[in-house]
Amino acid sequence: MRGFIGKILGYFGASHELHIKRNVVTYGVCVIIATILWFLNALNKEYTTEITYPVKYTDFPKGKLLVSEPPKEMTLTIKAHGFALLRYSISTSFLPIVLNVNSLIDKKDLLEYNVITSELKDRIGAQLNSDIQLSTIKPEVITFKFSRFESKKVPVIPQVDYTLKRQYMLKNDISVTPDSVEISGPASILDTLKAVYTTPIKLKDLSKDVTKTVSFEEIFGTQFDESDAKVKIEVERFTESKKTVPLVIKNLPDSLLIRLFPHSIDITFDVGLSRYEVVSDTSFSFSVDYEQIKDNPASLKIMLDKQPGHIKDLIFTPETVEYLIEKKK
């Protein structure tokens, strides 16, 4: 009997506990639905708020150096519905406001110019979402202070790190167009500036001509009259060539004769196929200097005085010659 009564009481207790749990779940669902409805209603209302934006300045007047520091941020007072604010903050919160400085300045001859930001409402508003109404802008004034540039023309030096494929060499010197640029900037920079450099290029295993468009390495506080340059690298196959070249004697007194053993030397070098027929023995000049004899050497050192461009790995033998001095009759 007691067991039967216990079962009945247990049944009603479990039913009561289940009822409580259902009430809690129902209450939770109602709270969530109410929260969502409240949130949607809040987003549908119009709000006035302030947002801070980074500012990017572009296209500064040529021939002038900016010496002031304009604000890097703007605080905008805007009106918009909650939906627009939420959507806009998620999608574009990190996009800067872009201001073209050259278009803001009416009088190009001024070195100090104040821009009233309220006059930029349409320009800035156009960069915002169409659902957002721009009210005010802080700061109210942006001041640009400039100093005049001096100008100087300097050569352009290409920076090229390259390797050549086996049996290839440079056909001509690496060229750059333009080979010089007009650079404007403070005198303190231009006085010591000798050249400008292109940004480095790395090329491997060249076996054909290459032309690359590259920018210039930046020099803070200066402007170039060109935005980029073309670097040209010409290559060709080479072959080995051999020549025999007579020796020239320098500083020999008129009263003496000198005999050299040998009186000519053999040379070998690598030359591009396009110049193989052009390079002759007269393209080279080797000599010995009589002044060396003052030290009574057993032999005279041979010196290279002239060689053509665009050859490589020049070797000559011998490197010294013996000699015999005679007086003229």
Side-chain angles (χ1 to χ4, degrees):
M1 188 68 175
R2 288 180 180 178
F4 177 73
I5 294 172
K7 288 182 180 180
I8 293 174
L9 291 175
Y11 170 78
F12 282 105
S15 177
H16 179 68
E17 183 179 349
L18 180 61
H19 180 69
I20 292 174
K21 288 183 178 179
R22 285 178 178 174
N23 287 341
V24 170
V25 171
T26 302
Y27 177 77
V29 170
C30 290
V31 170
I32 292 172
I33 293 174
T35 303
I36 292 173
L37 291 175
W38 175 85
F39 183 67
L40 292 175
N41 183 60
L43 289 178
N44 197 41
K45 293 181 180 180
E46 188 175 71
Y47 296 89
T48 298
T49 187
E50 288 187 346
I51 53 177
T52 300
Y53 268 80
V55 184
K56 179 181 179 181
Y57 302 93
T58 64
D59 194 21
F60 289 90
K62 288 189 176 182
K64 294 180 181 179
L65 171 67
L66 183 66
V67 294
S68 63
E69 187 174 356
K72 297 179 180 179
E73 294 180 336
M74 282 185 175
T75 300
L76 309 181
T77 303
I78 61 171
K79 291 181 180 179
H81 287 91
F83 283 109
L85 290 175
L86 179 63
R87 182 173 63 251
Y88 197 62
S89 63
I90 292 174
S91 61
T92 61
S93 58
F94 297 104
L95 293 180
I97 295 170
V98 179
L99 295 180
N100 184 311
V101 178
N102 206 37
S103 66
L104 300 179
I105 300 174
D106 298 329
K107 298 179 181 179
K108 307 298 182 183
D109 56 330
L110 294 179
L111 294 180
E112 183 172 339
Y113 199 90
N114 293 322
V115 176
I116 309 300
T117 55
S118 61
E119 298 176 359
L120 304 179
K121 283 182 64 175
D122 291 342
R123 189 180 303 214
I124 294 174
Q127 299 183 45
L128 305 178
N129 191 286
S130 58
D131 296 331
I132 292 178
Q133 180 183 351
L134 177 60
S135 300
T136 62
I137 305 170
K138 295 178 183 179
E140 297 178 354
V141 178
I142 301 176
T143 300
F144 296 96
K145 293 182 180 180
F146 301 94
S147 67
R148 295 197 184 279
F149 278 9
E150 293 186 5
S151 295
K152 180 179 182 180
K153 197 162 190 174
V154 294
V156 176
I157 299 178
Q159 295 191 94
V160 183
D161 182 7
Y162 67 93
T163 60
L164 295 167
K165 199 171 181 179
R166 184 178 177 85
Q167 207 61 32
Y168 281 85
M169 67 184 297
L170 289 181
K171 183 177 181 180
N172 295 302
D173 293 336
I174 297 173
S175 64
V176 58
T177 305
D179 60 0
S180 61
V181 294
E182 189 86 17
I183 183 170
S184 301
S188 58
I189 295 177
L190 298 189
D191 286 347
T192 57
L193 189 67
K194 303 301 181 185
V196 298
Y197 295 85
T198 64
T199 52
I201 307 171
K202 287 189 176 182
L203 301 168
K204 291 185 177 181
D205 295 333
L206 291 177
S207 61
K208 60 182 180 180
D209 297 349
V210 174
T211 301
K212 292 279 187 181
T213 299
V214 294
S215 57
F216 299 103
E217 285 194 338
E218 291 186 7
I219 302 175
F220 180 76
T222 66
Q223 294 177 353
F224 302 105
D225 66 344
E226 300 282 350
S227 59
D228 52 46
K230 291 187 183 299
V231 176
K232 186 175 184 179
I233 305 100
E234 298 177 278
V235 300
E236 65 175 340
R237 285 184 176 273
F238 68 82
T239 187
E240 185 180 78
S241 182
K242 297 181 179 181
K243 305 289 181 186
T244 299
V245 180
L247 291 171
V248 176
I249 303 171
K250 292 182 177 180
N251 299 315
L252 181 65
D254 292 337
S255 60
L256 297 177
L257 292 173
I258 187 169
R259 300 183 187 278
L260 301 177
F261 305 96
H263 63 275
S264 62
I265 60 172
D266 296 322
I267 63 173
T268 61
F269 55 92
D270 294 331
V271 60
L273 296 179
S274 65
R275 293 184 172 89
Y276 182 80
E277 299 295 336
V278 178
V279 178
S280 66
D281 55 350
T282 58
S283 303
F284 301 85
S285 177
F286 292 85
S287 65
V288 293
D289 192 344
Y290 175 79
E291 295 293 330
Q292 297 181 53
I293 296 177
K294 293 179 180 179
D295 298 325
N296 297 317
S299 60
L300 301 177
K301 183 179 179 181
I302 298 174
M303 296 174 291
L304 171 62
D305 298 321
K306 183 183 76 170
Q307 72 177 70
H310 309 293
I311 68 166
K312 67 174 189 174
D313 296 337
L314 173 65
I315 300 174
F316 59 90
T317 56
E319 295 183 357
T320 62
V321 292
E322 295 180 350
Y323 61 94
L324 177 63
I325 300 175
E326 298 179 355
K327 287 188 177 182
K328 288 184 180 179
K329 295 182 181 178

